[in-house]
Amino acid sequence: MKSRTPRRRHPVVAAALLLGALLATGGLYAAVSSAGTADAAATVGSATAVESGKQLFLEGCSSCHGLAAQGTSSGPSLIGVGAAAVHFQMSTGRMPLATSGVQAPVKPRQYTEEEISQIAAYIASLAPGPARPTFDDLDFAKADLALGGELFRLNCSQCHQAMGQGGPLPNGAYAPSLMNATPEQIYEAMLTGPENMPVFGDGTLTPDDKRDIIAYIEALKTAPDVGGMGLGRLGPVNEGLFIWVAGLAALIAAAVWIGVKSR
C-alpha cells in the first residue's frame, strides 16, 4: 500500500495568506487608532475652548460675576446657568452690561460668535445647565404653524403682544420685540427665562411646542399687513384707538371748517 505524500501548498498561496493577514491587522489598527485620535482631538478641542473661554471670562466678565463665576454684589452667580443662557445674553448684546438699570437692553454684541461659544463652554464646564439648542431643535420643516399660533397667544402674547412687537411691563420693565430675534435666541430664552420671562422647560413646552412657536414667530416677521397700514402691528386695541382719535380729529376739523364757512 502506497503512503500518501502530504500536499504542499504553493509558495504563492502562503505569501498571499500572510499578506492578507498583515493587511487585515494593519487596517484594524488604523481604524482603532483613527477613532482614538478623533476622540482625543475632540477632547483637546473642547478643553481648548474651555480654557480660551476662561481667559475671556476673566478679562471681560469676572469684575461683575466673580473670578470663579460665583457672583458678586454687581452680578449674579453663573454656576449652573448653562451655555444657553450665556449665548442668549451675549449674542443679543445684553452682556456685558454697560450700565445698570431695570433690565439689560439689547445692543450690538461685543464678542464674536466663536468667543461667545468659548465663554459658554467654560460656564457649562462649571456645572450642568441648559445647553444650546441643536440643529434638530431648530428644524422647523414639520412645524405646525396653527398650533404654534395658539401656543404663542396662550403663553407669550400677554407680554410680547399678539404680533410679537413687545410691550411694557410693571416697574419700568418691558418685553422686547421678537422681530429681530433669531430662532436660536428665542429657543434659548424659553429654556432659560431671561429678565422677567418665565422658564418654559420641556415639561411645560415640549421641543415640538417650542419649534411650533418659533415657526409662528418667523411667519409673523414676513406676514403681510392685511387691510391696509400695519400701524406698527400694535394690536387691535391700539389700532382701534388710533382710528377713533383720527376720526374724532377729522370730525372736529370738519365742524370748525363748516363753522368758518357759514359766517
Side-chain angles (χ1 to χ4, degrees):
M1 188 174 178
K2 294 183 179 180
S3 60
R4 291 187 175 181
T5 303
R7 290 186 64 183
R8 303 181 63 182
R9 293 180 178 175
H10 197 281
V12 175
V13 176
L17 290 174
L18 179 60
L19 180 60
L22 290 175
L23 289 174
T25 303
L28 179 62
Y29 175 80
V32 173
S33 177
S34 62
T37 303
D39 292 341
T43 302
V44 171
S46 176
T48 302
V50 170
E51 185 60 31
S52 299
K54 181 178 180 180
Q55 294 303 316
L56 290 169
F57 175 86
L58 292 175
E59 294 170 4
C61 314
S62 61
S63 59
C64 292
H65 295 286
L67 293 175
Q70 79 280 8
T72 67
S73 59
S74 301
S77 170
L78 299 181
I79 306 297
V81 300
V86 176
H87 183 265
F88 173 82
Q89 296 288 350
M90 299 190 73
S91 67
T92 59
R94 289 177 167 86
M95 292 293 153
L97 188 63
T99 57
S100 59
V102 176
Q103 67 185 63
V106 177
K107 62 183 186 298
R109 63 184 184 182
Q110 300 183 28
Y111 290 83
T112 65
E113 183 66 26
E114 181 181 6
E115 291 171 335
I116 293 173
S117 297
Q118 291 170 346
I119 296 175
Y122 167 65
I123 296 300
S125 72
L126 300 178
R132 293 175 61 179
T134 64
F135 176 82
D136 291 337
D137 291 330
L138 301 175
D139 183 6
F140 311 117
K142 297 181 180 180
D144 188 334
L145 285 180
L147 179 57
E150 293 179 13
L151 292 170
F152 180 85
R153 289 186 289 272
L154 179 63
N155 296 282
C156 316
S157 63
Q158 297 91 333
C159 297
H160 291 284
Q161 191 260 344
M163 297 295 288
Q165 300 295 321
L169 297 173
N171 302 318
Y174 59 91
S177 170
L178 302 177
M179 294 300 99
N180 294 321
T182 66
E184 182 176 12
Q185 290 167 350
I186 298 172
Y187 200 107
E188 290 168 341
M190 288 190 279
L191 282 178
T192 62
E195 305 289 352
N196 298 281
M197 182 173 172
V199 176
F200 293 99
D202 290 346
T204 304
L205 290 174
T206 67
D208 285 338
D209 292 337
K210 292 182 176 69
R211 282 189 286 271
D212 293 340
I213 291 174
I214 297 173
Y216 176 73
I217 295 172
E218 290 298 296
L220 287 179
K221 294 179 181 179
T222 57
D225 295 320
V226 180
M229 296 177 60
L231 298 177
R233 297 187 175 185
L234 296 177
V237 175
N238 294 318
E239 293 172 1
L241 178 62
F242 174 83
I243 295 299
W244 188 84
V245 171
L248 182 61
L251 291 174
I252 293 174
V256 170
W257 181 81
I258 292 173
V260 171
K261 285 293 186 179
S262 63
R263 289 181 182 178

